[in-house]
Amino acid sequence: MTTHSEHRTPQSTPSPAPAPGPAVARSWSVCPEPFTTGDATRLRRAYYAEVAGRYWKREVTEAEIDQGLLDFPDDGLAPPTGQFVVGRLDGAALACGGVRLLDGVTAELTRVYVDRRARGTGGGAALLGALEAESRALGAERVRLDTRSDLVEARALYARHGYGEIPAYNSGPYAEHWFEKRLV
């Protein structure tokens, strides 16, 4: 029997080749990390600031971020019901994501975020690979997620990685598109 802890090895995905010049190897590592660490908290706040700011079409305040994190807690993103991961590009924490079980065979992705400075370097793919591995370790046979119409980059990322649109499986206040990917 495989234990969950055996799935905690870092997932590394090399990024695309850098621009011409001195050769610089860049790589992502994505590992489980409690959502309460300093890096995880900073990334969760950045995620909320971006998605709320895009929705409201303005910058959000620190108080609004605080309230959003209270309104949408991350407490299900810890074993045995879920997992949170932090992605590091060359050691710098620049991405995060979470997965939680909806039922015995269905996991849900949430808080998938790559810092703007690291977009286009393979961080989204590295996050999805790690989150799918964590979902399997939790016993999931499929992964679902919801997202909004204005998050076009996220929808494109999911489609590129085998997620297909499905009918609504929840009635979240901001859910406009629903995706699923079979893991087995």
Side-chain angles (χ1 to χ4, degrees), residues 59-105:
E59 295 225 5
V60 295
T61 66
E62 292 296 315
E64 289 170 325
I65 294 170
D66 293 341
Q67 187 61 53
L69 294 174
L70 287 173
D71 291 345
F72 299 99
D74 294 327
D75 53 359
L77 304 180
T81 59
Q83 187 62 268
F84 193 79
V85 300
V86 171
R88 289 179 168 76
L89 178 60
D90 300 332
L94 294 171
C96 69
V99 61
R100 66 176 148 239
L101 288 175
L102 296 178
D103 59 43
V105 296

Side-chain angles (χ1 to χ4, degrees), residues 31 33-47 84-89 91-97 113 115:
C31 298
E33 187 168 317
F35 63 84
T36 55
T37 67
D39 285 340
T41 299
R42 180 182 50 76
L43 288 163
R44 287 184 308 114
R45 292 180 70 78
Y47 160 84
F84 193 79
V85 300
V86 171
R88 289 179 168 76
L89 178 60
L94 294 171
C96 69
Y113 172 76
D115 185 289

Side-chain angles (χ1 to χ4, degrees), residues 48 55-56 72 146-150 171-178:
Y48 189 83
Y55 184 78
W56 293 329
F72 299 99
D146 65 64
T147 191
R148 298 190 325 238
S149 294
D150 64 318
S171 58
Y174 304 105
E176 297 172 322
H177 296 269
W178 297 264

